Amino acid sequence: MAAQSLVLLAGALTTWLVASAVAPAIFREHLRQAKVAHTAAEAGHVEEAFASALIIAVAVALLVSVVIALTVTWYFTHRVQRSVLAVAVAASAIAEGRHGARVPSPALGAEFDQLADTVNRLAQRLEGMETNRRRMLADLAHEMRTPLATIDAHLEAIEDGVRELDDPTLAVLRGSTHRLGRLAQDVTAVSRAEEGQLEMSLRPTNPAALVGVAALAAQDAFDTKGVRLTTAVLDTPLVAADPERMAQVLGNLLDNALRHTPAGGTVSLTTSNSGLRWVEITVADNGEGINPEALTHVFDRFYRADPARTYDRGGSGIGLTITRAIVAAHDGTITARSAGKEMGATFVVGLPGLSTPS
């Protein structure tokens, strides 16, 4: 406002000085060209009258224009100041942890609307991150509670002489500590994956090789439970993949399918082409299935479609979250499908192909 006022006053002063210096000489030249006879006194009086009229008219015009310009400047300055203040207040609230703060549209043009929208999206993102952080901490505490309670109960029983520190008791204690250790590893892995800090070594890889390695690694566990594992490999393009990370993806999916497929069931691991240079790796089972309302949450951290039936199966509830993050790091996709409970489940990993079928 002050800067604009100085500009306006400087412009008005310049206009007044230029008009005062130039206009009388021009008027005098016009009188000479008109060849109007005047005495020296009359000519001086006429020039003085013209100069006075000009100066008064210019002064009034400049004064009115400056007042109007300052009024308009004040109005827009006030609006801009109010809008910037709203952004500052919202930013301060967000910095203090009140992520529900929002900036209304200032209605000052696309640039200010974009600024308000950016601040609002930042607040929304931070609010979502804070919600996820609180939920993760609550879920993590819940996951730790069961093995810790088991350890505490067995130690108390040993102290009271109810149980002996024999091999079965040690096995229970080791199982609980192993579960805590795996939980810690999974939490670290999912945090690094979602922050994009996973070390990746992408190279051209045959999907058939990925399927073969994953099936071989999981075969003993399937044989132990009595679940049949089948593979079907088609000619597909090569994919840019980190074999170790993709082995982790397929291992998580096969482990998830095995946990939810009863003895005598079947799990299939297949590859196929989908569209131009797009490869799909599918893990399908005929086990417990997934309710439709749970399909959109199966990749969420610590989510369990049926908590009462899964706490004793060794899963941390993070495996599918890690799987999704690794697939996303490969520029791929992963989807879950199921017709409902007891109808089996299918997980499809899509990866962009690199070349013609091998």
Side-chain angles (χ1 to χ4, degrees):
M1 181 68 181
Q4 186 68 12
S5 299
L6 290 175
V7 171
L8 291 172
L9 292 175
L13 180 60
T14 302
T15 302
W16 184 78
L17 291 175
V18 171
S20 300
V22 175
I26 296 175
F27 180 72
R28 187 182 306 113
E29 178 62 21
H30 279 290
L31 286 181
R32 187 189 65 78
Q33 291 178 2
K35 297 180 181 180
V36 179
H38 289 293
T39 64
E42 290 175 342
H45 181 71
V46 170
E47 290 180 8
E48 183 180 353
F50 171 76
S52 298
L54 175 65
I55 291 173
I56 293 173
V58 169
V60 173
L62 290 176
L63 179 61
V64 173
S65 63
V66 167
V67 171
I68 294 175
L70 288 177
T71 301
V72 174
T73 301
W74 173 85
Y75 172 72
F76 282 105
T77 301
H78 180 69
R79 288 195 60 185
V80 172
Q81 183 182 32
R82 184 174 57 187
S83 301
V84 173
L85 181 61
V87 174
V89 170
S92 298
I94 294 170
E96 294 172 359
R98 301 195 301 272
H99 300 136
R102 296 293 184 270
V103 181
S105 174
L108 290 176
E111 292 80 5
F112 280 89
D113 287 341
Q114 183 178 4
L115 174 62
D117 182 64
T118 300
V119 174
N120 290 337
R121 285 190 288 108
L122 172 64
Q124 186 176 7
R125 180 73 180 273
L126 290 175
E127 186 177 23
M129 292 175 62
E130 180 65 15
T131 300
N132 289 337
R133 184 187 69 84
R134 292 176 179 176
R135 186 180 65 182
M136 184 184 71
L137 291 176
D139 291 339
L140 182 60
H142 183 74
E143 290 289 336
M144 295 175 62
R145 191 175 297 119
T146 299
L148 288 174
T150 300
I151 294 174
D152 184 67
H154 280 72
L155 290 177
E156 184 177 354
I158 293 173
E159 291 175 349
D160 294 341
V162 177
R163 295 184 66 94
E164 296 182 359
L165 191 60
D166 51 15
D167 289 340
T169 302
L170 288 174
V172 173
L173 295 175
R174 288 196 187 97
S176 297
T177 57
H178 176 73
R179 182 174 176 180
L180 288 172
R182 179 175 177 180
L183 179 62
Q185 293 176 356
D186 286 348
V187 170
T188 301
V190 74
S191 297
R192 292 177 58 85
E194 292 185 341
E195 293 172 2
Q197 296 181 358
L198 283 177
E199 295 181 1
M200 305 286 289
S201 179
L202 303 180
R203 56 179 180 267
T205 306
N206 191 333
L210 298 175
V211 168
V213 170
L216 182 62
Q219 190 63 60
D220 288 344
F222 277 78
D223 291 341
T224 299
K225 188 174 180 179
V227 176
R228 183 186 177 197
L229 175 61
T230 65
T231 59
V233 178
L234 301 179
D235 288 337
T236 62
L238 300 178
V239 296
D242 183 326
E244 292 185 3
R245 294 298 182 186
M246 287 307 301
Q248 185 178 1
V249 166
L250 297 181
N252 285 343
L253 293 178
L254 289 174
D255 182 60
N256 181 73
L258 180 62
R259 286 201 308 270
H260 297 281
T261 303
T266 301
V267 175
S268 63
L269 178 60
T270 61
T271 65
S272 61
N273 291 314
S274 176
L276 182 62
R277 291 190 177 181
W278 191 261
V279 178
E280 288 186 347
I281 302 177
T282 303
V283 176
D285 63 70
N286 60 355
E288 299 171 359
I290 307 172
N291 286 325
E293 60 272 15
L295 284 174
T296 57
H297 300 288
V298 292
F299 297 105
D300 294 346
R301 283 176 292 192
F302 299 107
Y303 181 81
R304 299 176 186 273
D306 190 356
R309 300 179 64 184
T310 54
Y311 280 127
D312 60 346
R313 298 183 182 180
S316 64
I318 311 179
L320 291 179
T321 307
I322 299 173
T323 297
R324 179 180 59 182
I326 295 176
V327 172
H330 284 77
D331 294 326
T333 62
I334 183 169
T335 57
R337 300 195 298 263
S338 178
K341 296 297 291 182
E342 308 303 330
M343 299 296 291
T346 301
F347 289 83
V348 181
V349 176
L351 297 173
L354 293 179
S355 62
T356 57
S358 57

